[in-house]
Amino acid sequence: MSCAFANVAHREPTDQRAVTMQKVRELAEKLKSSVDEPVVLTRTCDEIRQLASSHPDNSSKIGPRGVEAIVKTCLAPHLDHASVVASACGALGALASGNFINKKRMSSQPVVKLVAAAMRQHPTNATVQLHAMKAIQQIAQSNSRNAARAVHHGVHTLVWAAMTMSPDRDGDEGQAAGVKRQLRQAGGSLFGVLTAAGPGILEKIVESVVKTMGSTDPGDELAQGNACQVGRVG
């Protein structure tokens, strides 16, 4: 696998301060002025994620400027840059978490389409896949429009691919197993959100599960096990 196994999971900050509007403006301007600087974009998205996760008011303050800025400066122009899109997905997921206005705001932007494109662009990068699945889970949760868009853009098939991803054989076996568990758990949680959004989505997922179980080697425990897990979610 092309990414390091370490630091895949989010580390939420302990700082509980509410962000100021001046800080929000600074973050948005930093993104816009650094569109050609991937390192700065990555760090700024990570900072946005941390702020959005550290105080209940921060997502609402950052959302109006932050969502569009992340889409236009990070996702759209940098789909080929794994660290940028992973951090962008992390920031968008944090902004959407428990914030219905931001979810609606994201439905008016090509967020789901671009996150799905990032998953296709980096099919063997566990960090991108994990952050993308978590982002779509938050974006689609309690928002049927975003969930329907996720299925429209083939997210359910991308999630399946992520859940059955083979770890890097040259990497640490313990870390590889941990990453596989995280991918499986994130995929299962996302499937749960998508299936709850409507029967049409459930039918597509069940069809995918049945097809996969029939086409994969019965001895492939990972693929068969994931199929059974997703079948239980459905």
PDB file of all heavy atoms in Angstrom, residues 139-178:
ATOM      1  N   ILE A 139     -21.311  13.443   6.104  1.00  0.00           N
ATOM      2  CA  ILE A 139     -22.026  14.288   5.143  1.00  0.00           C
ATOM      3  C   ILE A 139     -23.393  13.701   4.804  1.00  0.00           C
ATOM      4  O   ILE A 139     -24.382  14.436   4.628  1.00  0.00           O
ATOM      5  CB  ILE A 139     -21.183  14.475   3.870  1.00  0.00           C
ATOM      6  CG1 ILE A 139     -19.909  15.269   4.194  1.00  0.00           C
ATOM      7  CG2 ILE A 139     -21.976  15.184   2.773  1.00  0.00           C
ATOM      8  CD1 ILE A 139     -18.862  15.242   3.107  1.00  0.00           C
ATOM      9  N   ALA A 140     -23.469  12.363   4.716  1.00  0.00           N
ATOM     10  CA  ALA A 140     -24.707  11.700   4.308  1.00  0.00           C
ATOM     11  C   ALA A 140     -25.639  11.380   5.468  1.00  0.00           C
ATOM     12  O   ALA A 140     -26.826  11.143   5.260  1.00  0.00           O
ATOM     13  CB  ALA A 140     -24.374  10.414   3.549  1.00  0.00           C
ATOM     14  N   GLN A 141     -25.110  11.376   6.683  1.00  0.00           N
ATOM     15  CA  GLN A 141     -25.937  11.012   7.837  1.00  0.00           C
ATOM     16  C   GLN A 141     -27.056  12.028   8.039  1.00  0.00           C
ATOM     17  O   GLN A 141     -26.817  13.232   8.108  1.00  0.00           O
ATOM     18  CB  GLN A 141     -25.078  10.935   9.094  1.00  0.00           C
ATOM     19  CG  GLN A 141     -25.763  10.246  10.256  1.00  0.00           C
ATOM     20  CD  GLN A 141     -24.760   9.828  11.307  1.00  0.00           C
ATOM     21  OE1 GLN A 141     -23.786  10.514  11.557  1.00  0.00           O
ATOM     22  NE2 GLN A 141     -24.992   8.678  11.929  1.00  0.00           N
ATOM     23  N   SER A 142     -28.284  11.543   8.089  1.00  0.00           N
ATOM     24  CA  SER A 142     -29.471  12.390   8.268  1.00  0.00           C
ATOM     25  C   SER A 142     -29.639  13.400   7.142  1.00  0.00           C
ATOM     26  O   SER A 142     -30.258  14.452   7.321  1.00  0.00           O
ATOM     27  CB  SER A 142     -29.409  13.140   9.612  1.00  0.00           C
ATOM     28  OG  SER A 142     -29.310  12.233  10.687  1.00  0.00           O
ATOM     29  N   ASN A 143     -29.098  13.086   5.974  1.00  0.00           N
ATOM     30  CA  ASN A 143     -29.277  13.936   4.797  1.00  0.00           C
ATOM     31  C   ASN A 143     -29.434  13.020   3.585  1.00  0.00           C
ATOM     32  O   ASN A 143     -28.449  12.570   2.997  1.00  0.00           O
ATOM     33  CB  ASN A 143     -28.081  14.869   4.620  1.00  0.00           C
ATOM     34  CG  ASN A 143     -28.311  15.916   3.526  1.00  0.00           C
ATOM     35  OD1 ASN A 143     -28.556  15.581   2.383  1.00  0.00           O
ATOM     36  ND2 ASN A 143     -28.229  17.187   3.902  1.00  0.00           N
ATOM     37  N   SER A 144     -30.682  12.735   3.249  1.00  0.00           N
ATOM     38  CA  SER A 144     -30.968  11.764   2.191  1.00  0.00           C
ATOM     39  C   SER A 144     -30.461  12.229   0.832  1.00  0.00           C
ATOM     40  O   SER A 144     -30.096  11.411  -0.018  1.00  0.00           O
ATOM     41  CB  SER A 144     -32.475  11.491   2.120  1.00  0.00           C
ATOM     42  OG  SER A 144     -33.191  12.693   1.883  1.00  0.00           O
ATOM     43  N   ARG A 145     -30.423  13.539   0.631  1.00  0.00           N
ATOM     44  CA  ARG A 145     -29.928  14.055  -0.651  1.00  0.00           C
ATOM     45  C   ARG A 145     -28.451  13.721  -0.837  1.00  0.00           C
ATOM     46  O   ARG A 145     -28.033  13.268  -1.911  1.00  0.00           O
ATOM     47  CB  ARG A 145     -30.143  15.564  -0.729  1.00  0.00           C
ATOM     48  CG  ARG A 145     -29.750  16.178  -2.068  1.00  0.00           C
ATOM     49  CD  ARG A 145     -30.065  17.666  -2.102  1.00  0.00           C
ATOM     50  NE  ARG A 145     -29.737  18.252  -3.397  1.00  0.00           N
ATOM     51  CZ  ARG A 145     -29.861  19.544  -3.687  1.00  0.00           C
ATOM     52  NH1 ARG A 145     -30.334  20.377  -2.766  1.00  0.00           N
ATOM     53  NH2 ARG A 145     -29.540  19.989  -4.875  1.00  0.00           N
ATOM     54  N   ASN A 146     -27.670  13.936   0.197  1.00  0.00           N
ATOM     55  CA  ASN A 146     -26.248  13.619   0.111  1.00  0.00           C
ATOM     56  C   ASN A 146     -26.021  12.116   0.005  1.00  0.00           C
ATOM     57  O   ASN A 146     -25.109  11.662  -0.696  1.00  0.00           O
ATOM     58  CB  ASN A 146     -25.506  14.184   1.323  1.00  0.00           C
ATOM     59  CG  ASN A 146     -25.350  15.689   1.255  1.00  0.00           C
ATOM     60  OD1 ASN A 146     -25.402  16.284   0.173  1.00  0.00           O
ATOM     61  ND2 ASN A 146     -25.168  16.322   2.399  1.00  0.00           N
ATOM     62  N   ALA A 147     -26.854  11.329   0.697  1.00  0.00           N
ATOM     63  CA  ALA A 147     -26.731   9.878   0.622  1.00  0.00           C
ATOM     64  C   ALA A 147     -27.032   9.388  -0.789  1.00  0.00           C
ATOM     65  O   ALA A 147     -26.328   8.519  -1.330  1.00  0.00           O
ATOM     66  CB  ALA A 147     -27.668   9.212   1.624  1.00  0.00           C
ATOM     67  N   ALA A 148     -28.079   9.943  -1.387  1.00  0.00           N
ATOM     68  CA  ALA A 148     -28.426   9.553  -2.756  1.00  0.00           C
ATOM     69  C   ALA A 148     -27.318   9.929  -3.733  1.00  0.00           C
ATOM     70  O   ALA A 148     -27.014   9.178  -4.671  1.00  0.00           O
ATOM     71  CB  ALA A 148     -29.738  10.222  -3.162  1.00  0.00           C
ATOM     72  N   ARG A 149     -26.706  11.072  -3.511  1.00  0.00           N
ATOM     73  CA  ARG A 149     -25.602  11.478  -4.370  1.00  0.00           C
ATOM     74  C   ARG A 149     -24.411  10.535  -4.211  1.00  0.00           C
ATOM     75  O   ARG A 149     -23.704  10.251  -5.177  1.00  0.00           O
ATOM     76  CB  ARG A 149     -25.184  12.913  -4.050  1.00  0.00           C
ATOM     77  CG  ARG A 149     -26.141  13.957  -4.583  1.00  0.00           C
ATOM     78  CD  ARG A 149     -25.626  15.353  -4.341  1.00  0.00           C
ATOM     79  NE  ARG A 149     -26.500  16.332  -4.960  1.00  0.00           N
ATOM     80  CZ  ARG A 149     -26.308  17.645  -4.889  1.00  0.00           C
ATOM     81  NH1 ARG A 149     -25.267  18.116  -4.219  1.00  0.00           N
ATOM     82  NH2 ARG A 149     -27.137  18.483  -5.491  1.00  0.00           N
ATOM     83  N   ALA A 150     -24.199  10.080  -2.992  1.00  0.00           N
ATOM     84  CA  ALA A 150     -23.093   9.160  -2.759  1.00  0.00           C
ATOM     85  C   ALA A 150     -23.275   7.893  -3.586  1.00  0.00           C
ATOM     86  O   ALA A 150     -22.325   7.400  -4.222  1.00  0.00           O
ATOM     87  CB  ALA A 150     -22.998   8.818  -1.277  1.00  0.00           C
ATOM     88  N   VAL A 151     -24.482   7.344  -3.594  1.00  0.00           N
ATOM     89  CA  VAL A 151     -24.746   6.148  -4.375  1.00  0.00           C
ATOM     90  C   VAL A 151     -24.673   6.458  -5.866  1.00  0.00           C
ATOM     91  O   VAL A 151     -24.140   5.670  -6.661  1.00  0.00           O
ATOM     92  CB  VAL A 151     -26.121   5.552  -4.012  1.00  0.00           C
ATOM     93  CG1 VAL A 151     -26.471   4.384  -4.931  1.00  0.00           C
ATOM     94  CG2 VAL A 151     -26.112   5.095  -2.558  1.00  0.00           C
ATOM     95  N   HIS A 152     -25.172   7.615  -6.266  1.00  0.00           N
ATOM     96  CA  HIS A 152     -25.120   8.024  -7.674  1.00  0.00           C
ATOM     97  C   HIS A 152     -23.685   8.044  -8.190  1.00  0.00           C
ATOM     98  O   HIS A 152     -23.418   7.668  -9.346  1.00  0.00           O
ATOM     99  CB  HIS A 152     -25.754   9.410  -7.838  1.00  0.00           C
ATOM    100  CG  HIS A 152     -25.613   9.967  -9.219  1.00  0.00           C
ATOM    101  ND1 HIS A 152     -26.349   9.500 -10.295  1.00  0.00           N
ATOM    102  CD2 HIS A 152     -24.796  10.953  -9.718  1.00  0.00           C
ATOM    103  CE1 HIS A 152     -26.008  10.168 -11.389  1.00  0.00           C
ATOM    104  NE2 HIS A 152     -25.076  11.049 -11.064  1.00  0.00           N
ATOM    105  N   HIS A 153     -22.770   8.460  -7.334  1.00  0.00           N
ATOM    106  CA  HIS A 153     -21.362   8.539  -7.736  1.00  0.00           C
ATOM    107  C   HIS A 153     -20.592   7.251  -7.412  1.00  0.00           C
ATOM    108  O   HIS A 153     -19.361   7.241  -7.464  1.00  0.00           O
ATOM    109  CB  HIS A 153     -20.696   9.733  -7.061  1.00  0.00           C
ATOM    110  CG  HIS A 153     -21.191  11.053  -7.563  1.00  0.00           C
ATOM    111  ND1 HIS A 153     -20.990  11.478  -8.858  1.00  0.00           N
ATOM    112  CD2 HIS A 153     -21.893  12.050  -6.940  1.00  0.00           C
ATOM    113  CE1 HIS A 153     -21.545  12.670  -9.029  1.00  0.00           C
ATOM    114  NE2 HIS A 153     -22.097  13.040  -7.886  1.00  0.00           N
ATOM    115  N   GLY A 154     -21.322   6.189  -7.080  1.00  0.00           N
ATOM    116  CA  GLY A 154     -20.701   4.883  -6.908  1.00  0.00           C
ATOM    117  C   GLY A 154     -19.928   4.691  -5.624  1.00  0.00           C
ATOM    118  O   GLY A 154     -19.058   3.818  -5.553  1.00  0.00           O
ATOM    119  N   VAL A 155     -20.262   5.462  -4.600  1.00  0.00           N
ATOM    120  CA  VAL A 155     -19.522   5.351  -3.346  1.00  0.00           C
ATOM    121  C   VAL A 155     -19.652   3.964  -2.745  1.00  0.00           C
ATOM    122  O   VAL A 155     -18.690   3.430  -2.170  1.00  0.00           O
ATOM    123  CB  VAL A 155     -19.993   6.431  -2.344  1.00  0.00           C
ATOM    124  CG1 VAL A 155     -19.481   6.142  -0.940  1.00  0.00           C
ATOM    125  CG2 VAL A 155     -19.518   7.803  -2.796  1.00  0.00           C
ATOM    126  N   HIS A 156     -20.814   3.339  -2.896  1.00  0.00           N
ATOM    127  CA  HIS A 156     -20.997   2.012  -2.294  1.00  0.00           C
ATOM    128  C   HIS A 156     -20.037   0.985  -2.887  1.00  0.00           C
ATOM    129  O   HIS A 156     -19.554   0.100  -2.179  1.00  0.00           O
ATOM    130  CB  HIS A 156     -22.452   1.554  -2.432  1.00  0.00           C
ATOM    131  CG  HIS A 156     -22.960   1.493  -3.832  1.00  0.00           C
ATOM    132  ND1 HIS A 156     -23.024   2.598  -4.642  1.00  0.00           N
ATOM    133  CD2 HIS A 156     -23.427   0.445  -4.569  1.00  0.00           C
ATOM    134  CE1 HIS A 156     -23.520   2.255  -5.819  1.00  0.00           C
ATOM    135  NE2 HIS A 156     -23.760   0.956  -5.798  1.00  0.00           N
ATOM    136  N   THR A 157     -19.713   1.107  -4.166  1.00  0.00           N
ATOM    137  CA  THR A 157     -18.744   0.182  -4.760  1.00  0.00           C
ATOM    138  C   THR A 157     -17.314   0.550  -4.360  1.00  0.00           C
ATOM    139  O   THR A 157     -16.464  -0.332  -4.192  1.00  0.00           O
ATOM    140  CB  THR A 157     -18.862   0.180  -6.296  1.00  0.00           C
ATOM    141  OG1 THR A 157     -18.623   1.505  -6.799  1.00  0.00           O
ATOM    142  CG2 THR A 157     -20.251  -0.272  -6.726  1.00  0.00           C
ATOM    143  N   LEU A 158     -17.056   1.846  -4.195  1.00  0.00           N
ATOM    144  CA  LEU A 158     -15.730   2.287  -3.765  1.00  0.00           C
ATOM    145  C   LEU A 158     -15.457   1.836  -2.330  1.00  0.00           C
ATOM    146  O   LEU A 158     -14.333   1.453  -1.985  1.00  0.00           O
ATOM    147  CB  LEU A 158     -15.624   3.806  -3.870  1.00  0.00           C
ATOM    148  CG  LEU A 158     -15.711   4.386  -5.282  1.00  0.00           C
ATOM    149  CD1 LEU A 158     -15.826   5.904  -5.228  1.00  0.00           C
ATOM    150  CD2 LEU A 158     -14.500   3.976  -6.108  1.00  0.00           C
ATOM    151  N   VAL A 159     -16.491   1.904  -1.496  1.00  0.00           N
ATOM    152  CA  VAL A 159     -16.343   1.467  -0.109  1.00  0.00           C
ATOM    153  C   VAL A 159     -16.040  -0.025  -0.063  1.00  0.00           C
ATOM    154  O   VAL A 159     -15.189  -0.479   0.716  1.00  0.00           O
ATOM    155  CB  VAL A 159     -17.611   1.793   0.704  1.00  0.00           C
ATOM    156  CG1 VAL A 159     -17.544   1.162   2.078  1.00  0.00           C
ATOM    157  CG2 VAL A 159     -17.780   3.296   0.821  1.00  0.00           C
ATOM    158  N   TRP A 160     -16.723  -0.768  -0.906  1.00  0.00           N
ATOM    159  CA  TRP A 160     -16.467  -2.207  -0.945  1.00  0.00           C
ATOM    160  C   TRP A 160     -15.009  -2.471  -1.294  1.00  0.00           C
ATOM    161  O   TRP A 160     -14.359  -3.323  -0.687  1.00  0.00           O
ATOM    162  CB  TRP A 160     -17.391  -2.857  -1.970  1.00  0.00           C
ATOM    163  CG  TRP A 160     -17.202  -4.332  -1.996  1.00  0.00           C
ATOM    164  CD1 TRP A 160     -16.474  -5.057  -2.897  1.00  0.00           C
ATOM    165  CD2 TRP A 160     -17.687  -5.263  -1.038  1.00  0.00           C
ATOM    166  NE1 TRP A 160     -16.495  -6.377  -2.574  1.00  0.00           N
ATOM    167  CE2 TRP A 160     -17.233  -6.532  -1.445  1.00  0.00           C
ATOM    168  CE3 TRP A 160     -18.467  -5.141   0.115  1.00  0.00           C
ATOM    169  CZ2 TRP A 160     -17.529  -7.676  -0.715  1.00  0.00           C
ATOM    170  CZ3 TRP A 160     -18.771  -6.282   0.823  1.00  0.00           C
ATOM    171  CH2 TRP A 160     -18.310  -7.530   0.419  1.00  0.00           C
ATOM    172  N   ALA A 161     -14.480  -1.747  -2.274  1.00  0.00           N
ATOM    173  CA  ALA A 161     -13.081  -1.920  -2.676  1.00  0.00           C
ATOM    174  C   ALA A 161     -12.143  -1.571  -1.526  1.00  0.00           C
ATOM    175  O   ALA A 161     -11.133  -2.242  -1.304  1.00  0.00           O
ATOM    176  CB  ALA A 161     -12.772  -1.052  -3.895  1.00  0.00           C
ATOM    177  N   ALA A 162     -12.477  -0.524  -0.785  1.00  0.00           N
ATOM    178  CA  ALA A 162     -11.636  -0.116   0.346  1.00  0.00           C
ATOM    179  C   ALA A 162     -11.655  -1.167   1.452  1.00  0.00           C
ATOM    180  O   ALA A 162     -10.633  -1.462   2.067  1.00  0.00           O
ATOM    181  CB  ALA A 162     -12.106   1.228   0.892  1.00  0.00           C
ATOM    182  N   MET A 163     -12.817  -1.738   1.697  1.00  0.00           N
ATOM    183  CA  MET A 163     -12.945  -2.735   2.756  1.00  0.00           C
ATOM    184  C   MET A 163     -12.186  -4.018   2.426  1.00  0.00           C
ATOM    185  O   MET A 163     -11.760  -4.747   3.324  1.00  0.00           O
ATOM    186  CB  MET A 163     -14.418  -3.058   3.000  1.00  0.00           C
ATOM    187  CG  MET A 163     -15.205  -1.921   3.629  1.00  0.00           C
ATOM    188  SD  MET A 163     -16.961  -2.314   3.792  1.00  0.00           S
ATOM    189  CE  MET A 163     -16.921  -3.545   5.105  1.00  0.00           C
ATOM    190  N   THR A 164     -12.015  -4.313   1.152  1.00  0.00           N
ATOM    191  CA  THR A 164     -11.323  -5.532   0.737  1.00  0.00           C
ATOM    192  C   THR A 164      -9.898  -5.243   0.282  1.00  0.00           C
ATOM    193  O   THR A 164      -9.259  -6.096  -0.335  1.00  0.00           O
ATOM    194  CB  THR A 164     -12.094  -6.221  -0.400  1.00  0.00           C
ATOM    195  OG1 THR A 164     -12.276  -5.298  -1.488  1.00  0.00           O
ATOM    196  CG2 THR A 164     -13.440  -6.705   0.080  1.00  0.00           C
ATOM    197  N   MET A 165      -9.401  -4.059   0.587  1.00  0.00           N
ATOM    198  CA  MET A 165      -8.050  -3.694   0.209  1.00  0.00           C
ATOM    199  C   MET A 165      -7.030  -4.596   0.898  1.00  0.00           C
ATOM    200  O   MET A 165      -7.157  -4.920   2.079  1.00  0.00           O
ATOM    201  CB  MET A 165      -7.790  -2.229   0.613  1.00  0.00           C
ATOM    202  CG  MET A 165      -6.420  -1.704   0.246  1.00  0.00           C
ATOM    203  SD  MET A 165      -6.119  -0.094   1.022  1.00  0.00           S
ATOM    204  CE  MET A 165      -7.470   0.860   0.357  1.00  0.00           C
ATOM    205  N   SER A 166      -6.020  -5.002   0.153  1.00  0.00           N
ATOM    206  CA  SER A 166      -4.945  -5.816   0.717  1.00  0.00           C
ATOM    207  C   SER A 166      -3.869  -4.910   1.303  1.00  0.00           C
ATOM    208  O   SER A 166      -3.437  -3.968   0.641  1.00  0.00           O
ATOM    209  CB  SER A 166      -4.327  -6.705  -0.358  1.00  0.00           C
ATOM    210  OG  SER A 166      -5.268  -7.614  -0.862  1.00  0.00           O
ATOM    211  N   PRO A 167      -3.436  -5.176   2.523  1.00  0.00           N
ATOM    212  CA  PRO A 167      -2.400  -4.336   3.125  1.00  0.00           C
ATOM    213  C   PRO A 167      -1.050  -4.561   2.471  1.00  0.00           C
ATOM    214  O   PRO A 167      -0.824  -5.575   1.810  1.00  0.00           O
ATOM    215  CB  PRO A 167      -2.380  -4.806   4.584  1.00  0.00           C
ATOM    216  CG  PRO A 167      -2.837  -6.218   4.503  1.00  0.00           C
ATOM    217  CD  PRO A 167      -3.859  -6.266   3.399  1.00  0.00           C
ATOM    218  N   ASP A 168      -0.157  -3.632   2.653  1.00  0.00           N
ATOM    219  CA  ASP A 168       1.200  -3.721   2.124  1.00  0.00           C
ATOM    220  C   ASP A 168       1.924  -4.879   2.788  1.00  0.00           C
ATOM    221  O   ASP A 168       2.102  -4.911   3.997  1.00  0.00           O
ATOM    222  CB  ASP A 168       1.941  -2.407   2.408  1.00  0.00           C
ATOM    223  CG  ASP A 168       3.282  -2.355   1.722  1.00  0.00           C
ATOM    224  OD1 ASP A 168       3.734  -3.394   1.204  1.00  0.00           O
ATOM    225  OD2 ASP A 168       3.881  -1.266   1.701  1.00  0.00           O
ATOM    226  N   ARG A 169       2.338  -5.849   1.997  1.00  0.00           N
ATOM    227  CA  ARG A 169       2.982  -7.049   2.557  1.00  0.00           C
ATOM    228  C   ARG A 169       4.347  -6.739   3.171  1.00  0.00           C
ATOM    229  O   ARG A 169       4.858  -7.515   3.965  1.00  0.00           O
ATOM    230  CB  ARG A 169       3.130  -8.108   1.460  1.00  0.00           C
ATOM    231  CG  ARG A 169       1.789  -8.633   0.947  1.00  0.00           C
ATOM    232  CD  ARG A 169       1.978  -9.665  -0.140  1.00  0.00           C
ATOM    233  NE  ARG A 169       0.696 -10.152  -0.637  1.00  0.00           N
ATOM    234  CZ  ARG A 169       0.580 -11.035  -1.625  1.00  0.00           C
ATOM    235  NH1 ARG A 169       1.665 -11.522  -2.218  1.00  0.00           N
ATOM    236  NH2 ARG A 169      -0.601 -11.428  -2.023  1.00  0.00           N
ATOM    237  N   ASP A 170       4.934  -5.612   2.764  1.00  0.00           N
ATOM    238  CA  ASP A 170       6.235  -5.242   3.310  1.00  0.00           C
ATOM    239  C   ASP A 170       6.111  -4.455   4.606  1.00  0.00           C
ATOM    240  O   ASP A 170       7.090  -4.150   5.258  1.00  0.00           O
ATOM    241  CB  ASP A 170       7.028  -4.405   2.296  1.00  0.00           C
ATOM    242  CG  ASP A 170       7.352  -5.208   1.039  1.00  0.00           C
ATOM    243  OD1 ASP A 170       7.538  -6.428   1.167  1.00  0.00           O
ATOM    244  OD2 ASP A 170       7.402  -4.611  -0.043  1.00  0.00           O
ATOM    245  N   GLY A 171       4.881  -4.085   4.972  1.00  0.00           N
ATOM    246  CA  GLY A 171       4.687  -3.286   6.172  1.00  0.00           C
ATOM    247  C   GLY A 171       4.607  -4.148   7.415  1.00  0.00           C
ATOM    248  O   GLY A 171       4.627  -5.385   7.365  1.00  0.00           O
ATOM    249  N   ASP A 172       4.495  -3.493   8.553  1.00  0.00           N
ATOM    250  CA  ASP A 172       4.373  -4.191   9.826  1.00  0.00           C
ATOM    251  C   ASP A 172       3.030  -4.923   9.860  1.00  0.00           C
ATOM    252  O   ASP A 172       1.982  -4.332   9.613  1.00  0.00           O
ATOM    253  CB  ASP A 172       4.459  -3.176  10.961  1.00  0.00           C
ATOM    254  CG  ASP A 172       4.321  -3.841  12.313  1.00  0.00           C
ATOM    255  OD1 ASP A 172       5.352  -4.278  12.856  1.00  0.00           O
ATOM    256  OD2 ASP A 172       3.184  -3.916  12.807  1.00  0.00           O
ATOM    257  N   GLU A 173       3.064  -6.206  10.178  1.00  0.00           N
ATOM    258  CA  GLU A 173       1.842  -7.009  10.139  1.00  0.00           C
ATOM    259  C   GLU A 173       0.801  -6.525  11.145  1.00  0.00           C
ATOM    260  O   GLU A 173      -0.397  -6.532  10.877  1.00  0.00           O
ATOM    261  CB  GLU A 173       2.175  -8.479  10.385  1.00  0.00           C
ATOM    262  CG  GLU A 173       2.949  -9.133   9.250  1.00  0.00           C
ATOM    263  CD  GLU A 173       3.148 -10.623   9.475  1.00  0.00           C
ATOM    264  OE1 GLU A 173       2.625 -11.138  10.485  1.00  0.00           O
ATOM    265  OE2 GLU A 173       3.822 -11.259   8.655  1.00  0.00           O
ATOM    266  N   GLY A 174       1.268  -6.112  12.323  1.00  0.00           N
ATOM    267  CA  GLY A 174       0.337  -5.618  13.324  1.00  0.00           C
ATOM    268  C   GLY A 174      -0.365  -4.346  12.882  1.00  0.00           C
ATOM    269  O   GLY A 174      -1.578  -4.197  13.041  1.00  0.00           O
ATOM    270  N   GLN A 175       0.400  -3.414  12.309  1.00  0.00           N
ATOM    271  CA  GLN A 175      -0.199  -2.174  11.812  1.00  0.00           C
ATOM    272  C   GLN A 175      -1.126  -2.450  10.645  1.00  0.00           C
ATOM    273  O   GLN A 175      -2.192  -1.841  10.513  1.00  0.00           O
ATOM    274  CB  GLN A 175       0.900  -1.195  11.405  1.00  0.00           C
ATOM    275  CG  GLN A 175       1.669  -0.595  12.565  1.00  0.00           C
ATOM    276  CD  GLN A 175       2.673   0.444  12.103  1.00  0.00           C
ATOM    277  OE1 GLN A 175       3.234   0.362  11.018  1.00  0.00           O
ATOM    278  NE2 GLN A 175       2.908   1.429  12.937  1.00  0.00           N
ATOM    279  N   ALA A 176      -0.718  -3.372   9.761  1.00  0.00           N
ATOM    280  CA  ALA A 176      -1.555  -3.719   8.611  1.00  0.00           C
ATOM    281  C   ALA A 176      -2.902  -4.254   9.074  1.00  0.00           C
ATOM    282  O   ALA A 176      -3.951  -3.894   8.531  1.00  0.00           O
ATOM    283  CB  ALA A 176      -0.844  -4.751   7.736  1.00  0.00           C
ATOM    284  N   ALA A 177      -2.886  -5.111  10.081  1.00  0.00           N
ATOM    285  CA  ALA A 177      -4.135  -5.666  10.603  1.00  0.00           C
ATOM    286  C   ALA A 177      -5.003  -4.573  11.210  1.00  0.00           C
ATOM    287  O   ALA A 177      -6.230  -4.577  11.056  1.00  0.00           O
ATOM    288  CB  ALA A 177      -3.830  -6.740  11.649  1.00  0.00           C
ATOM    289  N   GLY A 178      -4.356  -3.625  11.884  1.00  0.00           N
ATOM    290  CA  GLY A 178      -5.104  -2.513  12.469  1.00  0.00           C
ATOM    291  C   GLY A 178      -5.765  -1.656  11.411  1.00  0.00           C
ATOM    292  O   GLY A 178      -6.910  -1.222  11.564  1.00  0.00           O
TER     293      GLY A 178
END
